[in-house]
Amino acid sequence: PSEEYELSRRRIFSNTKELWYYVNSELQSLVKEGDGVKVEHISKIKDIVGEHYRSLLKDITSLADVDGHAVWRQQESENLSNLVQKRLKHLQNPSDCAKARKLVCDLNKGCGYGCQLHHVVYCFIVAYATERTLILRSKGWRYSKGGWQDVFLPLSDTCLLPNGETTNRWPGHRNTQVITLPIIDSINPRPPFLPLALPEDLAPRLNVLHGDPVVWWIGQFLKYMLRPQPATSNKLDEYAKKVKFQKPIVGVHIRRTDKVGTEAAFHKLDEYMIHVEQYYKYKELTDKVDKKRVYLATDEPKLFSEAKRKYPEYEIVGDEDISKTASISKRYSDQSLSGIITDIHFLSLSDYLVCTFSSQVCRVAYEIMNSLHPDASTLYTSLDDIYYYGGQKRRLHIAVLPHEANGPHEMNLLVGDEIAVAGNHWDGYSKGTNLRTKESGLYPTFKVSPKIETAPFASYPDVTL
Ligand code: GDP
């Protein structure tokens, strides 16, 4: 398919969703204020519009696969992934480690596992862009004292030591042999190739392949990093058998404890389950669903019994003990590491994800999911944020239809305006700042399209398939 075809198809898909968000949220507020008879009528309308919506989504989704496009997408995704993986392997295995240019990164950022993985991905992206072998210092890791290699394969077979003739802090010079990198929040100067930027040489192909190409890109770094040690693999296989992990299954991640009220709002189990229900109704348009399953991952152990009590028609898969270890007091131990690796792994293997993107646990699962499918950019519902990368440069929208503000909360758009996006309110509107007028406010999401940003990265001309 051409880029024009793929972008139009995705636009119709996402605007169908936006139309549903709008109608659903308007009808919902009518239900809240309506009297008895009206409420019944409105609920009926909501159900029927919901049926229209799912049928439309199904038809648009089938357009992605016809005329050999599914086969093409699978092949293109494999080719691109093989190319990137080969480049990473080449970068990480220099023939002479004593002379190699290196970038040193400390795993021990003082935060959770998801946050630390994102920290390493950021280091790896800088290493890739500047063509330096990434050296990960991980001894004394808060999750496993022996370090990264306790659970995952080392990032290199030939080069793990940070030594060199000259060492300097970022940015150093091209000929400084070893450069140490601070965390993304304090990198200075900020290079142009941090997320959400894509490498110029791959961007045109990624833009045809994927609905949110930067997620695919980040997924490729995780794919390389998270190659499990045999013992880790075995544990995951055993766990899959123990909990009877089977498809269809929807991954639900519910982040509570220390996150709620500080970095994210509280959401009830029912708010997640509405989207799980939606997913299965959608699925039942084409497939017979023998059993509705949910893979539940959470740091709030009580949710297992709540889910089983309130949703008896579901099979709730997961492990309450993992959740107990995850709850705040025992968080950083070998045991909690094995729990979070397990939860992220099975969330990423699920058919669909329902979670809050304010949590790095769910964003990592989504990124990994996108390394397992040619394009899994539509296989999630986030109850709060849109996808972002901590420390990223802004996400941009570009107006494709003009908009005249409908009240003080909205802003004007002219075609071609660039908007720095703050978030989607999941009611048909997004919030952002118009870079031309400097105005901030709401605008209808269907009047914009995503803008892809690119940057010059090292292009590895000698590494080809
Ligand atoms: P965030 O705080 O949710 O953005 O994600 P982080 O990964 O940075 O920190 C949260 C930490 O809490 C995780 O790394 C886990 O140690 C723990 N945690 C949170 N949610 C879960 C879960 O669903 N399962 C498990 N096993 N641990 C969790």
Side-chain angles (χ1 to χ4, degrees):
S2 66
E3 176 168 356
E4 193 182 6
Y5 179 89
E6 285 296 273
L7 295 185
S8 308
R9 178 179 66 72
R10 285 190 211 123
R11 206 177 135 65
I12 299 168
F13 182 92
S14 55
N15 286 346
T16 303
K17 292 189 107 166
E18 290 296 329
L19 176 63
W20 163 251
Y21 296 151
Y22 175 71
V23 174
N24 184 46
S25 120
E26 291 292 316
L27 293 179
Q28 195 61 38
S29 50
L30 283 180
V31 166
K32 274 195 191 134
E33 44 192 68
D35 57 66
V37 185
K38 268 205 195 129
V39 164
E40 213 172 288
H41 188 184
I42 295 167
S43 297
K44 182 98 195 150
I45 295 176
K46 236 180 87 179
D47 288 348
I48 292 173
V49 176
E51 272 189 67
H52 279 268
Y53 163 64
R54 288 188 293 275
S55 156
L56 272 168
L57 280 192
K58 179 182 78 63
D59 293 343
I60 302 161
T61 302
S62 73
L63 275 186
D65 291 346
V66 295
D67 292 346
H69 291 181
V71 177
W72 165 83
R73 192 170 296 101
Q74 186 68 39
Q75 195 57 57
E76 176 70 350
S77 155
E78 270 171 35
N79 290 345
L80 280 163
S81 176
N82 290 343
L83 179 63
V84 173
Q85 294 303 313
K86 199 167 169 191
R87 287 177 179 180
L88 292 177
K89 188 170 177 202
H90 166 84
L91 178 71
Q92 287 307 105
N93 293 288
S95 50
D96 183 358
C97 185
K99 294 220 177 71
R101 295 161 73 243
K102 302 173 182 176
L103 188 81
V104 177
C105 178
D106 276 312
L107 177 56
N108 262 324
K109 186 172 176 178
C111 56
Y113 175 75
C115 164
Q116 292 185 333
L117 286 186
H118 279 137
H119 172 58
V120 181
V121 168
Y122 140 77
C123 293
F124 215 169
I125 288 175
V126 175
Y128 175 99
T130 56
E131 223 171 337
R132 288 175 175 276
T133 302
L134 177 65
I135 310 289
L136 183 63
R137 276 202 295 234
S138 67
K139 279 271 171 295
W141 186 16
R142 70 192 302 188
Y143 277 101
S144 190
K145 293 289 167 259
W148 185 260
Q149 281 131 260
D150 281 358
V151 279
F152 300 113
L153 297 183
L155 297 187
S156 171
D157 301 326
T158 63
C159 195
L160 294 167
L161 295 176
N163 322 10
E165 301 236 312
T166 48
T167 300
N168 218 327
R169 282 162 43 173
W170 174 266
H173 292 285
R174 219 203 116 70
N175 54 7
T176 312
Q177 196 189 344
V178 181
I179 290 180
T180 58
L181 200 63
I183 60 172
I184 194 166
D185 317 75
S186 41
I187 187 172
N188 183 26
R190 277 176 65 89
F193 40 71
L194 299 182
L196 307 171
L198 292 173
E200 267 164 6
D201 62 328
L202 301 177
R205 283 172 74 184
L206 289 179
N207 202 26
V208 185
L209 174 72
H210 200 277
D212 197 356
V214 76
V215 180
W216 186 94
W217 173 237
I218 287 162
Q220 289 303 309
F221 288 88
L222 290 166
K223 178 174 177 178
Y224 188 92
M225 283 160 50
L226 301 180
R227 292 164 304 154
Q229 291 282 15
T232 308
S233 254
N234 291 342
K235 270 195 213 160
L236 292 171
D237 292 346
E238 277 163 28
Y239 179 85
K241 278 190 211 130
K242 186 184 118 191
V243 300
K244 301 197 183 72
F245 186 85
Q246 263 186 83
K247 293 188 170 192
I249 193 159
V250 176
V252 174
H253 177 240
I254 306 186
R255 182 75 165 92
R256 293 270 174 87
T257 60
D258 58 321
K259 191 91 173 177
V260 172
T262 53
E263 293 177 6
F266 178 90
H267 293 280
K268 289 191 298 211
L269 172 64
D270 307 359
E271 294 176 63
Y272 295 82
M273 291 304 291
I274 287 171
H275 299 283
V276 177
E277 287 279 329
Q278 280 269 3
Y279 173 80
Y280 280 112
K281 278 190 188 154
Y282 172 80
K283 178 110 185 137
E284 278 169 339
L285 290 176
T286 44
D287 304 322
K288 192 176 168 332
V289 175
D290 59 331
K291 187 82 207 161
K292 296 194 281 184
R293 287 183 204 86
V294 162
Y295 184 84
L296 181 59
T298 175
D299 54 346
E300 175 49 85
K302 285 193 204 115
L303 284 168
F304 280 89
S305 50
E306 183 182 339
K308 284 174 188 161
R309 190 179 71 247
K310 284 194 180 157
Y311 298 90
E313 72 279 26
Y314 278 85
E315 195 171 302
I316 308 295
V317 180
D319 187 337
E320 197 171 339
D321 291 336
I322 287 184
S323 177
K324 282 182 187 149
T325 319
S327 60
I328 187 125
S329 53
K330 291 172 261 171
R331 178 157 299 165
Y332 305 113
S333 62
D334 289 26
Q335 212 188 348
S336 74
L337 178 65
S338 120
I340 188 66
I341 290 173
T342 303
D343 275 345
I344 288 179
H345 180 74
F346 289 100
L347 286 171
S348 76
L349 286 180
S350 300
D351 297 302
Y352 193 85
L353 271 177
V354 181
C355 60
T356 46
F357 270 174
S358 57
S359 171
Q360 314 222 38
V361 172
C362 190
R363 295 208 304 281
V364 169
Y366 175 63
E367 290 153 357
I368 298 172
M369 184 188 223
N370 275 280
S371 73
L372 303 172
H373 301 248
D375 179 3
S377 64
T378 59
L379 302 182
Y380 78 95
T381 295
S382 166
L383 299 188
D384 55 15
D385 297 335
I386 52 173
Y387 177 81
Y388 68 98
Y389 194 89
Q392 74 182 30
K393 220 174 127 196
R394 67 210 169 174
R395 183 177 275 272
L396 289 180
H397 276 160
I398 184 154
V400 294
L401 292 170
H403 182 65
E404 224 170 277
N406 231 320
H409 299 302
E410 294 188 16
M411 64 181 184
N412 294 327
L413 299 178
L414 291 179
V415 172
D417 280 356
E418 289 189 343
I419 303 129
V421 189
N424 189 322
H425 287 197
W426 313 118
D427 60 359
Y429 291 84
S430 286
K431 193 172 186 176
T433 304
N434 186 327
L435 299 182
R436 178 180 57 87
T437 61
K438 309 281 178 280
E439 224 186 328
S440 290
L442 298 171
Y443 55 96
T445 317
F446 76 95
K447 296 192 175 180
V448 301
S449 277
K451 184 175 179 200
I452 302 298
E453 295 203 73
T454 62
F457 287 62
S459 63
Y460 302 86
D462 300 334
V463 188
T464 51
L465 284 183

